[in-house]
């Protein structure tokens, strides 16, 4: 993917926050093995085994991100493979001005625990940044079943000046500053669907 040295697209650093020591699945499994409550916590994180196919080295597989609007079918952007990611930019979708919506993401974690997974998004109109979103998703262990995270409810801008075409860049990054997926996409804000 493209290398971004753009401060707009860097995750916010929280003063005083220190990233925990990275551990393998085996290390987590051995950690305080006799502590029953800790074992339950580790089990809730999916720390029983490193789920994921051996021929797919990705630790985070984002199946899709979707725009959820009450009373309408979700608008999904498929991010499950490179071909889908590459086509996201050339297939803009429409958002009705003033509508309340939320983004949601469906993803799988495989092989190792992912700590501090975040979603970053920068939206530009005519080359000028108009929005930056940073959403903490959390820490997850490998699991066969995908996770789903719904973001905060938002309202699309409205009015004649808000209508038009927008370009966006998004990525999922973790506490180790590993970018798991990054893509460009676009949308139009219109008076109606």
């Amino acid at each position: 993917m493209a290398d971004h040295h753009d401060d707009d697209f860097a995750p916010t650093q929280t003063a005083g926050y220190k990233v925990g020591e990275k551990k393998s699945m085996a290390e987590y499994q051995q950690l305080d093995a006799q502590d029953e409550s800790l074992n339950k916590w580790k089990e809730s994180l999916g720390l029983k085994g490193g789920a994921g196919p051996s021929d797919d080295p990705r630790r985070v597989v984002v199946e899709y991100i979707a725009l959820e609007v009450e009373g309408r079918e979700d608008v999904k952007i498929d991010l499950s493979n490179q071909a889908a990611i590459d086509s996201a930019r050339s297939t803009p979708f429409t958002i009705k001005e003033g509508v309340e919506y939320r983004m949601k993401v469906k993803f799988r974690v495989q092989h190792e625990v992912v700590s501090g997974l975040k979603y970053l998004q920068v939206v530009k109109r005519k080359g000028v940044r108009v929005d930056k979103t940073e959403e903490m998703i959390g820490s997850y262990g490998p699991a066969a079943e995908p996770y789903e995270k719904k973001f905060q409810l938002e309202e699309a801008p409205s009015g004649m000046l808000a209508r038009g075409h927008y370009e966006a860049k998004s990525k999922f990054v973790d506490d180790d500053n590993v970018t798991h997926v990054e893509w460009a996409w676009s949308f139009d804000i219109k008076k109606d669907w």
Side-chain angles (χ1 to χ4, degrees), residues 44-64:
S44 77
L45 285 177
L47 298 181
K48 284 187 150 189
S54 59
D55 63 343
D56 185 354
R58 297 176 295 173
R59 288 188 352 204
V60 175
V61 178
V62 179
E63 294 182 3
Y64 65 80

Side-chain angles (χ1 to χ4, degrees), residues 131-151:
D131 186 47
K132 179 179 179 179
T133 301
E134 184 170 341
E135 183 85 26
M136 174 55 80
I137 296 173
S139 299
Y140 295 87
E145 293 301 311
Y147 298 102
E148 183 178 85
K149 168 78 175 179
K150 292 187 177 193
F151 298 175

Side-chain angles (χ1 to χ4, degrees), residues 5-21:
H5 297 290
D6 188 350
D7 284 345
D8 278 352
F9 213 44
T12 305
Q13 300 299 316
T14 304
Y17 175 72
K18 290 186 178 32
V19 175
E21 180 185 342

Side-chain angles (χ1 to χ4, degrees), residues 18-42:
K18 290 186 178 32
V19 175
E21 180 185 342
K22 185 154 179 60
K23 295 188 183 320
S24 71
M25 286 297 293
E27 288 173 309
Y28 276 119
Q29 289 167 341
Q30 296 304 314
L31 196 62
D32 295 322
Q34 71 285 0
D35 185 329
E36 188 178 329
S37 64
L38 187 57
N39 284 331
K40 286 181 181 178
W41 173 76
K42 290 188 290 187

Side-chain angles (χ1 to χ4, degrees), residues 13 26 36 44 47 62 64 73 76 81 93 102 108 111 122 135 150-151 166 169 171 186 188:
Q13 300 299 316
E36 188 178 329
S44 77
L47 298 181
V62 179
Y64 65 80
E73 192 170 313
K76 292 182 181 178
N81 59 61
F93 58 87
R102 81 171 73 235
R108 289 187 329 272
H111 309 299
V122 173
E135 183 85 26
K150 292 187 177 193
F151 298 175
Y166 293 79
K169 289 183 181 171
K171 69 179 175 179
S186 62
D188 298 304

Side-chain angles (χ1 to χ4, degrees), residues 156-169:
S158 61
M160 190 173 74
L161 294 176
R163 289 182 216 131
H165 186 72
Y166 293 79
E167 298 284 330
K169 289 183 181 171

